[in-house]
Amino acid sequence: MRRSKFNLFQKLTFAILLVGLVSLTSRAQEALTLDRALAIAETGSPDLQISLLNLERFQKTLEAQRAALKSRFSLEVNPVNYSNQRRFDTRFSEWYTNENFESNGVFRVSQPILPTDGTISLINEFGWSSSNSTLSNSTNESQVWYNNLYLNFNQPLFTYNRLKVQLRQLELNLENAEISYAMQRLNLERNVTEFFYNVYMTQMNLNIAREELANTQKSYDIIVNKVNAGLAAMEEQYQAELNLSTAKSDVQNSEVNFENAKDQLKLYLGMDLFEDIVILADISANPVPVLLDTAIQNGLRSRMELRQREIDIENSQFDLIETKSLNEFMGELNLRVGITGDDEKLNKIFDQPTRSPSVGLTFNIPIFDWGEKKARIAAAEAAIRSNELNLSEEKKQIIIDIRQTYRNLQNQLTQIDIAEQNERNAQLTYEINLERYENGDLTGMDLNLYQTQLSQNKIAYSQALINYKIELLNLKIQSLYDFERNEAILPTELYLNQENNQ
């Protein structure tokens, strides 16, 4: 029974819209449906574009970090290096003059080692050097080609793997950005729906105001004829003139509100502000079966805010690891093996090479830090407990929000029935009193009250239907379950679908 009432109201709504379309400006307009508005917003909404750019930033940052884990090749070239200096020789306690001219290049291949946070490098230095030194009227000269080739390994000891932590943090940042983007798309659907129906309601108010003006004009004509025929007092005409002026003012106010609402919608969608639009909406709200337990279970399983709180906990654990590394006992191992050759002739550089192995082991041993490390660790642990508490409270809030939305949804069904009954009664009341007015049994002021009552009930009925659709959408967003299609919404699909559309 309720569905048939909704279908009847749907037909009446489209009839009103067609009348409104004829009376609107003759300029070319874009007929905007809710689905069309959502499609425009996905490509034109500034809020969504900002969220998408933020997502791209984290994507590129993670790509850069992964690229940094691969072998890095570099070449350093020093074409000219000349110096002429007076120096002191401590071996002979004499001053000497050294003139040096050098040209060289260094080729380096560096490879980070992710499992150990170490670095292995292959380095080759090749160059030519011309040097002469003057000491006690004697001069020594040297012109040689030289080449140093060595393999170097550096490994931190007794500390955490900074490469792994940094990479994981970037992965979490990207995941968080993906979640934020998916949530932005859900919020976009809700905001577009609210803006869209706001324009629809102002458009409906305008149509109703125009109907009121037409009815008021008709009433005014009737009373003028009665006054001219001596069947009514002049005061009735004065009241009819006042009602007519008020109706004209209401139309103008409704036109202003309608244009303002359209501008707000176009701004949010990212449309051309000078493009004219007209709203085509189906506000029939057929009741949708909703299961509260399904909504809560799916919300706790799929809500993206919970994963964001888990990411916060994981990041705070990384902060704790970093805090524990302050003033820590740690070491560093450095191994180097290579050969060095030099000769006046280029092709004889490695005729008599010199092996140049080296090993170094260093330790950093903290002694006393006045309790700094202990205090910072306690602060980091408190941050972890705070994030864990936020996760627990977020779950509770999700349950509460879903329950409230469910209750509002059920209440809206009752409000629809009440609003529909009120509109039907107001329509019948107005028709009865219009006949009384035409027969001279009712004043124009009283008729205006009944007409206002009818308009208000029409608007209230439409608003009740819209409120139901918005609450149903809110439940879909709160639970990530589409009860109209009877299927769960996968948050990752919101992001993947957008990638496929680009």
Side-chain angles (χ1 to χ4, degrees), residues 57-116:
R57 177 168 65 91
F58 284 108
Q59 279 180 325
K60 296 305 179 184
T61 302
L62 181 59
E63 288 178 11
Q65 181 62 25
R66 287 173 174 168
L69 295 177
K70 298 179 180 180
S71 299
R72 178 172 299 179
F73 297 81
S74 65
L75 177 63
E76 179 183 348
V77 179
N78 299 307
V80 177
N81 189 357
Y82 173 80
S83 65
N84 189 354
Q85 297 179 345
R86 185 73 170 165
R87 300 179 178 179
F88 184 76
D89 190 344
T90 57
R91 294 176 301 171
F92 301 101
S93 298
E94 292 186 18
W95 288 90
Y96 70 97
T97 301
N98 175 257
E99 183 181 22
N100 184 72
F101 180 86
E102 186 174 4
S103 178
N104 61 27
V106 179
F107 176 72
R108 185 189 307 268
V109 180
S110 181
Q111 174 62 59
I113 304 174
L114 182 61
T116 66

Side-chain angles (χ1 to χ4, degrees), residues 218-435:
K218 181 180 178 181
S219 301
Y220 174 77
D221 294 338
I222 292 174
I223 199 62
V224 168
N225 292 333
K226 288 185 176 182
V227 171
N228 292 337
L231 300 177
M234 194 65 185
E235 290 80 359
E236 287 292 324
Q237 182 174 340
Y238 295 152
Q239 182 61 47
E241 290 177 352
L242 178 59
N243 293 342
L244 184 60
S245 298
T246 302
K248 290 179 180 179
S249 176
D250 290 341
V251 170
Q252 292 178 348
N253 291 335
S254 297
E255 288 175 346
V256 170
N257 292 334
F258 179 49
E259 294 299 327
N260 290 341
K262 287 197 297 182
D263 283 346
Q264 291 298 321
L265 175 61
K266 288 186 286 186
L267 178 63
Y268 189 78
L269 298 182
M271 295 180 63
D272 182 2
L273 296 179
F274 294 97
E275 182 179 1
D276 197 14
I277 60 174
V278 62
I279 297 298
L280 296 178
D282 176 14
I283 64 170
S284 60
N286 296 327
V288 176
V290 173
L291 297 177
L292 180 58
D293 290 340
T294 300
I296 293 177
Q297 292 173 6
N298 198 76
L300 293 177
R301 181 172 59 249
S302 305
R303 278 287 290 273
M304 295 169 283
E305 292 89 341
L306 297 179
R307 177 53 188 158
Q308 285 185 316
R309 301 292 81 78
E310 292 173 353
I311 290 176
D312 291 340
I313 293 175
E314 195 166 349
N315 278 327
S316 60
Q317 290 172 343
F318 288 141
D319 291 338
L320 177 61
I321 293 175
E322 183 177 355
T323 300
K324 288 182 177 179
S325 69
L326 296 174
N327 301 323
E328 69 174 347
F329 172 78
M330 65 174 295
E332 184 177 84
L333 174 66
N334 194 79
L335 298 176
R336 172 176 169 173
V337 292
I339 56 174
T340 301
D342 61 84
D343 197 90
E344 294 181 355
K345 295 183 179 180
L346 179 60
N347 58 355
K348 295 184 178 182
I349 290 179
F350 288 109
D351 283 358
Q352 295 180 344
T354 301
R355 299 184 181 276
S356 54
S358 68
V359 59
L361 183 62
T362 59
F363 294 101
N364 177 35
I365 305 174
I367 298 178
F368 191 68
D369 65 352
W370 304 95
E372 176 191 3
K373 181 177 180 179
K374 181 179 180 181
R376 293 187 183 278
I377 290 176
E381 290 174 342
I384 293 177
R385 292 194 297 271
S386 176
N387 288 328
E388 290 173 344
L389 182 60
N390 288 338
L391 174 61
S392 176
E393 292 301 309
E394 187 74 42
K395 292 180 179 179
K396 296 178 183 178
Q397 189 62 48
I398 287 175
I399 296 175
I400 291 175
D401 290 343
I402 292 176
R403 284 178 175 177
Q404 290 179 347
T405 305
Y406 175 80
R407 297 185 190 111
N408 293 338
L409 191 64
Q410 301 306 311
N411 180 57
Q412 285 304 321
L413 290 175
T414 304
Q415 298 303 316
I416 289 174
D417 287 339
I418 295 174
E420 183 184 19
Q421 181 67 35
N422 289 338
E423 184 201 12
R424 183 167 57 252
N425 293 341
Q427 180 67 44
L428 295 174
T429 302
Y430 174 75
E431 292 174 357
I432 293 172
N433 285 281
L434 177 61
E435 184 176 353

